[in-house]
Amino acid sequence: MKRLRARLADLDRRRRHRSTARAMLRLNPEPESWLDVGTGEAHFPAEAKAFFPYTSFDGLDTTTAVLVAREAERLEEAYLGTPAAPHLSKALTARYDVISVLKPVASSARSWRSSARAAMCWWRPREPPTRSAGNSRPRTARSSPVPGTPPSTAWRGRRA
């Protein structure tokens, strides 16, 4: 009975990890680098690699399990410590497109907030939208390809 419960818990964990990766796929279809905070043995990056085969997954954890995950090639780089650790601040600044925190590293709310603040500086800044030479507004999905025509007619392929 214990083996069955353990197997069901493993299947449930894998399902949650896959659905989390699928949700990120909609927001950022091809991130270059991803940091998983509180990764442990890196089960989440192992599942997410199925959806993001070209993404570099790194892990951060307070236990040595992150080093085992790097040896098992579930992570490209493994960092031992907390997000608020000073030795990680400079090394990881503006380096990641995605940062996931599925299991909080810090136990108290105050230390969790400081860890989250520290991890926020590790995001890579996004490029601003490009502006075309003839148009002063950036092109969006709703803008018309022909200046002066409303978006509704542009999507239907009619000309004004």
Side-chain angles (χ1 to χ4, degrees):
M1 191 66 172
K2 287 182 183 179
R3 290 174 61 191
L4 178 63
R5 283 188 183 149
R7 178 72 178 141
L8 288 175
D10 184 52
L11 288 172
D12 184 51
R13 177 184 48 83
R14 292 181 69 200
R15 180 189 54 80
R16 282 183 286 119
H17 289 334
R18 282 192 305 266
S19 65
T20 302
R22 245 186 257 114
M24 194 61 208
L25 187 63
R26 292 183 216 123
L27 298 173
N28 193 348
E30 201 169 315
E32 186 178 322
S33 56
W34 189 316
L35 177 68
D36 188 28
V37 178
T39 192
E41 294 179 1
H43 293 293
F44 173 69
E47 292 291 331
K49 275 198 186 275
F51 297 97
F52 303 98
Y54 302 110
T55 300
S56 167
F57 285 93
D58 297 346
L60 169 69
D61 201 77
T62 56
T63 65
T64 57
V66 71
L67 303 175
V68 173
R70 184 182 61 194
E71 290 299 317
E73 297 182 358
R74 287 179 280 214
L75 296 172
E76 303 251 341
E77 292 188 36
Y79 300 101
L80 194 59
T82 63
H87 71 280
L88 294 174
S89 296
K90 291 205 179 219
L92 302 180
T93 300
R95 188 167 171 189
Y96 294 101
D97 297 320
V98 178
I99 298 174
S100 58
V101 184
L102 301 181
K103 289 182 254 172
V105 174
S107 56
S108 71
R110 171 175 266 165
S111 61
W112 169 243
R113 272 189 236 122
S114 67
S115 296
R117 244 182 265 119
M120 293 289 275
C121 71
W122 298 343
W123 265 316
R124 180 178 294 138
R126 291 187 153 223
E127 293 91 27
T130 59
R131 296 180 184 265
S132 61
N135 193 355
S136 62
R137 297 183 317 162
R139 287 183 66 125
T140 61
R142 296 190 150 251
S143 66
S144 171
V146 180
T149 60
S152 61
T153 59
W155 284 108
R156 292 188 187 124
R158 294 187 222 143
R159 294 185 182 226

